[in-house]
């Protein structure tokens, strides 16, 4: 059974870089696409970006200049870095598997989420 | 970006009711439309993929339909565990975008 678990600091200072890691168990990061999605308190879901099994990345243009997603195959993890954060980046951050098959393109497995607060 | 608009934003219903949530895309997404259920404090859970396909393990009272720009999620007979927030999401093109959510309340 595939499981994802986010980890990282729960508090980040304004203007600094938010760094999160997602540990994948039951599957290999060398397969599929691996995404980050966030949800501000009381609000909806925003796709941040993904990294493919090939190592290629795709980011939301609204965050493009501040986002980096990378993968560490030796640890079976993928990571998110979001620079120059402000209070608007306060959210629950989810990692998720984006499954791509014939007739299926969806986020089928999610981590439990981790709350990140941007505050001094 | 493709804008996804759900209606209604909230809905009051009772156990046993038949409920329909609609989702409209700002441009055609063919059938690349997914539905998720989210309960408070939990991650979203995939219910329906590619507009009409039931994800494994999801009860058959959930169904989806539509294509192009208009889609619906139907719950045929509400159960107590179905009270949650529902999101549509398009996977036709990046950036992947979600609807604003429909909160289903008693």
């Amino acid at each position: 059974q595939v499981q994802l678990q986010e980890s990282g600091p729960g508090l980040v200072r304004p203007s600094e870089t938010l760094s999160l890691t997602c540990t994948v168990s039951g599957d290999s990061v060398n397969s599929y696409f691996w995404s980050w999605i966030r949800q501000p308190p009381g609000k909806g879901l925003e796709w941040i970006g993904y990294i493919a099994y090939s190592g290629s990345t795709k980011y939301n243009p609204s965050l493009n200049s501040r986002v980096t997603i990378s993968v560490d195959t030796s640890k079976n993890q993928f990571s998110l870095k979001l620079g120059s954060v402000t209070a608007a980046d306060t959210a629950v951050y989810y990692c998720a598997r984006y499954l791509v098959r014939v007739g299926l393109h969806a986020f089928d497995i999610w981590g439990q989420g981790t709350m990140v607060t941007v505050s001094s | 970006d493709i804008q996804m608009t759900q209606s209604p934003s909230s809905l009051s219903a009772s156990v046993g009711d038949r409920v329909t949530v609609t989702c409209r895309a700002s441009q055609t997404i063919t059938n690349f439309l997914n539905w998720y259920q989210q309960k408070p404090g939990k991650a979203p859970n995939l219910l329906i993929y590619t507009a009409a396909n039931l994800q494994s393990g999801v009860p058959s009272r959930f169904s989806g339909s539509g294509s192009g720009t208009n889609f619906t999620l139907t719950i045929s007979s509400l159960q107590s565990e179905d009270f949650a927030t529902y999101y549509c999401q398009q996977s036709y093109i990046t950036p992947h975008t979600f609807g604003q959510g429909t909160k289903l309340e008693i």
Side-chain angles (χ1 to χ4, degrees):
Chain A
Q1 155 187 356
V2 182
Q3 292 185 313
L4 281 64
Q5 178 67 59
E6 304 90 349
S7 59
L11 179 65
V12 181
R13 307 292 186 196
S15 80
E16 296 188 345
T17 296
L18 179 160
S19 296
L20 296 174
T21 296
C22 183
T23 300
V24 179
S25 57
D27 201 350
S28 169
V29 292
N30 287 322
S31 304
Y32 308 114
F33 293 71
W34 304 95
S35 286
W36 288 97
I37 295 161
R38 69 180 183 179
Q39 185 172 36
K43 296 188 177 181
L45 299 158
E46 180 183 30
W47 176 75
I48 298 170
Y50 65 56
I51 187 163
Y53 54 88
S54 62
S56 64
T57 54
K58 195 85 170 179
Y59 302 133
N60 192 322
S62 68
L63 301 168
N64 192 53
S65 61
R66 299 195 290 135
V67 175
T68 302
I69 297 176
S70 59
V71 67
D72 185 337
T73 56
S74 67
K75 296 181 180 179
N76 216 37
Q77 297 174 333
F78 63 104
S79 298
L80 168 70
K81 290 189 185 299
L82 180 65
S84 305
V85 297
T86 70
D89 295 310
T90 293
V92 175
Y93 285 76
Y94 295 101
C95 58
R97 186 178 77 173
Y98 184 62
L99 188 59
V100 177
R101 290 181 178 163
V102 175
L104 195 167
H105 294 216
F107 301 103
D108 70 326
I109 307 290
W110 296 64
Q112 65 184 27
T114 188
M115 180 69 201
V116 179
T117 301
V118 178
S119 175
S120 56
Chain B
D1 299 4
I2 297 177
Q3 306 302 315
M4 306 301 293
T5 304
Q6 290 180 233
S7 61
S9 294
S10 63
L11 176 60
S12 294
S14 301
V15 171
D17 285 354
R18 180 182 179 89
V19 167
T20 297
V21 179
T22 65
C23 179
R24 176 169 293 180
S26 60
Q27 65 185 74
T28 184
I29 56 171
T30 63
N31 62 347
F32 285 95
L33 189 283
N34 306 309
W35 290 98
Y36 301 84
Q37 177 193 68
Q38 186 179 34
K39 296 183 178 179
K42 300 294 186 182
N45 181 51
L46 177 64
L47 297 176
I48 302 284
Y49 62 90
T50 323
N53 297 280
L54 199 65
Q55 173 69 341
S56 176
V58 174
S60 59
R61 61 181 180 272
F62 291 92
S63 63
S65 65
S67 67
T69 60
N70 294 304
F71 302 88
T72 60
L73 170 70
T74 298
I75 309 172
S76 61
S77 179
L78 270 176
Q79 302 301 302
S80 58
E81 61 266 30
D82 300 336
F83 290 95
T85 300
Y86 294 84
Y87 292 94
C88 62
Q89 173 254 325
Q90 64 82 15
S91 54
Y92 181 71
I93 194 171
T94 59
H96 298 303
T97 45
F98 294 83
Q100 82 279 14
T102 294
K103 187 173 184 179
L104 187 51
E105 301 173 299
I106 299 175

